[in-house]
Amino acid sequence: MRLAKLTLAGFKSFADRTVIEFDAPVTGVVGPNGCGKSNIVDAIKWVLGGMSPKSLRGEAMMDMIFNGSATRKPSGMASVSLTFDNGDRALPLDQDEVTITRQLFRDGTSDYLINRRRARLRDIRELFLDTGIGTDAYSIIEQGKVAVLLQANAQQRREVFEEAAGVARFKARKKEAIRKLERAEQNLTVVRQRLEDTERRLRSVKIQATKARNYQEYASRLSDLQLGYSLAEFHKHHTELAALREMLEQAEIDRARAARELAESEQALNDLEVERQAVVAQQRQVEQERHQQQAAIDQAHQQRAFAERALSEIDEQNERDAKRLEELTARAEQLKQEHQQQLAEVERLASEQSEADGKVQQAQDEHRQRQHQLNARRSEIEDEKAGIHDLMRQTARMHNEISAIDQFEKSLVHTREKLDARSSHVAGELERLLTQRDQSRDRRDEALRLIDAETIKLEELKAESARLDGSLKELSDRLASAKEKRSGLDSRRAVLQEMQDNQEGLSDPVKALLAQQAAAADQGDASAFAFVRGLLIEMLDADVEDAPLVETALGDYQQAIVVDRLEQVCAPETRETLDALGGRVTFIALDQYAVPAQTGDSRVDLPCLLDRVRYPSRLAPILWTLLGRTYLVDDLATARRLREELPAGCR
């Protein structure tokens, strides 16, 4: 695999599409400072997934796009493509050429392409794993990279060696697998928690289902009772309805009679009201006529007074009109004279206006000629100004060149003086270096002797390191085995805990009874199952090796429920709850057992199973009855032999 071609378009200083082909004779790119060699390295790092603008010599990722110049517009996107010759199939693609492309647009979006197909940055990084090609791989040795590699610590050098050895791919896959396992473990924990929540809700739902069944029974019984009560109420109300109907008929007869009497009274009242309205209307008419006569008298007095005032005002107005007529007559004569004068003035102004129009026309013609001359002069002035500006620019450029030549001459003189001083200093320095060379040779010989001694010590340390590596590997194997064993134990403990929480092995009636007790305790109803002490097997404690023996000896009593007194179980309110369980439940009452005066048999010299069990003192009577005469032997033959010798009742 080798790099065949690099294509750049709009990336940094490469405004135009530029193709650099690395054919067989081409081994490198050389050129003066500022020609873009570093931009080629930045382009290769960028297309391989470089995400840090500072490592690409920029402030932001938008600096990768050509930003324009005085003569060119900015580019809309930056695109870089690397083409590899994949004839040896070093890259895991069944193609002779592999082209990796990265594109960045002005809006901030970017694309990665593998052979012109959209891909992810992760796909490109996985493609070049173990090939030595990458943004931080050893294939790109840029400025300062050699010094970084020489000053790198052991961990950094190890990463370079792993990349060259092809281990980085597997380490990346290992990290990804570990992350997936951690996510799977987290998901498993969440699933377990949800399963526990579901189981808790399931117990509550079972209790609610029992309550629902009880509710349905009570509702059915209530419906029957309500139906019987409704029938009784119907008969009673039917009888009352018949009596009320008779009373209603009598009331209707009385109401009709009262209505007739009321109608007669209302008719008489209406007649009286008509007579009263006629009298009131006659009275109103008389009053209205009196008011009309009074209003006519008042109006006549007002008209007389108004006429007198109007007559006096008319006399005064006649006097004023006579005076005004005399004034208007004199004013009319005066206006006639002024009119004659204005007509003469109008004729004179008309002749003057015609003369002024001729003069205005002549002035407009002269103005247009002067305007044309002014525009021509302005054009000449603008041309002269442009020539003056050109001369000024040329003069300034000549002055700058003269200043630069003077400065360069001064710089040459100063440089010559510095070179003379440097020559004398170099001569003295050469003598000093020759002396130091002789001293360095002596120190080198001494250093070689020390290196030989340290090499011997290093070989010894390597042997010791190899021995310690062997010990470390053995300890690592033991640690891995211990971790695997611990993981198995943790899994088994989790399964056992889950079985214990789910009460695996118990019958459904026993589970239902314990669930009802727990629900009553959660609801604060301590009296509902106060007589239940718990499950017998859960109240006992034994060593791991003795637990199977205890379970075998107890048999069906493992699922027995311990209660205080037998009559509590036989109570009617308890019997109804127990009948709803739908199965068999074994109860052991504490008041039905007693510890005998003699709890041992001197003729039996065998280990008693009861001695292997730890239990509360209140269970002593029950456990002595169940396990007090159960003994342990090594084999079946011994058991058969002792069975004939031991007293009755022994197991």
Side-chain angles (χ1 to χ4, degrees), residues 254-469:
D254 296 339
R255 185 183 68 80
R257 184 174 60 254
R260 287 193 299 272
E261 294 176 357
L262 179 62
E264 294 174 357
S265 300
E266 289 180 351
Q267 183 64 33
L269 182 62
N270 291 332
D271 295 340
L272 294 175
E273 182 66 22
V274 170
E275 293 177 359
R276 187 184 69 81
Q277 292 292 337
V279 173
V280 170
Q282 186 177 3
Q283 183 181 359
R284 287 178 179 175
Q285 185 176 3
V286 172
E287 186 70 21
Q288 185 176 3
E289 291 177 355
R290 186 181 66 80
H291 284 299
Q292 289 177 355
Q293 292 175 359
Q294 184 66 34
I297 294 171
D298 294 338
Q299 185 177 4
H301 288 297
Q302 290 177 357
Q303 290 177 354
R304 178 181 178 183
F306 179 75
E308 292 176 353
R309 285 196 301 272
L311 184 61
S312 61
E313 290 177 356
I314 289 170
D315 293 338
E316 294 176 356
Q317 183 65 32
N318 289 331
E319 294 177 358
R320 288 195 297 271
D321 290 342
K323 293 179 180 180
R324 181 64 177 166
L325 181 61
E326 294 176 357
E327 293 177 356
L328 291 175
T329 303
R331 180 61 179 167
E333 293 297 332
Q334 184 180 358
L335 290 175
K336 287 181 180 179
Q337 296 176 2
E338 292 178 355
H339 178 65
Q340 295 297 330
Q341 294 176 0
Q342 288 177 356
L343 289 175
E345 184 69 20
V346 165
E347 292 177 357
R348 185 180 62 82
L349 291 175
S351 61
E352 291 179 356
Q353 182 180 5
S354 60
E355 295 177 358
D357 290 340
K359 292 180 180 180
V360 167
Q361 184 65 32
Q362 183 180 0
Q364 288 179 352
D365 295 338
E366 292 179 358
H367 175 71
R368 282 195 292 270
Q369 293 177 1
R370 296 290 178 87
Q371 187 69 33
H372 291 310
Q373 294 176 1
L374 179 61
N375 292 334
R377 291 293 181 87
R378 283 180 178 175
S379 300
E380 294 175 359
I381 291 172
E382 291 296 332
D383 295 338
E384 291 177 358
K385 284 183 178 180
I388 292 171
H389 284 303
D390 293 337
L391 291 175
M392 291 176 65
R393 283 197 295 271
Q394 292 177 4
T395 304
R397 185 169 65 253
M398 295 298 292
H399 282 299
N400 292 334
E401 291 178 357
I402 293 170
S403 300
I405 292 172
D406 292 339
Q407 187 68 25
F408 183 67
E409 183 180 1
K410 293 178 181 179
S411 176
L412 290 176
V413 173
H414 183 64
T415 304
R416 185 183 63 183
E417 294 174 355
K418 289 175 63 177
L419 289 175
D420 293 339
R422 181 66 176 167
S423 177
S424 60
H425 178 69
V426 167
E429 187 71 18
L430 180 60
E431 293 179 0
R432 186 179 64 80
L433 291 175
L434 291 174
T435 304
Q436 287 183 357
R437 184 188 65 179
D438 297 335
Q439 295 175 358
S440 298
R441 285 178 179 176
D442 297 336
R443 287 197 297 270
R444 184 192 64 182
D445 297 337
E446 182 65 24
L448 289 174
R449 289 193 297 272
L450 292 175
I451 288 172
D452 294 337
E454 293 297 329
T455 302
I456 296 173
K457 293 181 180 180
L458 181 61
E459 294 297 333
E460 295 176 356
L461 291 175
K462 285 183 178 179
E464 182 68 18
S465 176
R467 185 180 63 80
L468 292 177
D469 287 340

Side-chain angles (χ1 to χ4, degrees), residues 557-574:
Y557 286 100
Q558 294 183 51
Q559 301 187 27
I561 303 296
V562 180
V563 298
D564 292 333
R565 296 186 304 276
L566 185 60
E567 57 268 18
Q568 293 174 332
V569 181
C570 300
E573 62 273 10
T574 306

Side-chain angles (χ1 to χ4, degrees), residues 540-552:
L540 306 181
D541 188 15
D543 296 335
V544 177
E545 60 271 11
D546 296 332
L549 301 177
V550 176
E551 293 176 356
T552 304

Side-chain angles (χ1 to χ4, degrees), residues 73 110-111 202 215-216 278 305 510 522:
K73 295 182 179 179
S110 62
D111 292 327
L202 182 60
Y215 170 77
Q216 290 177 353
V510 175
D522 293 340

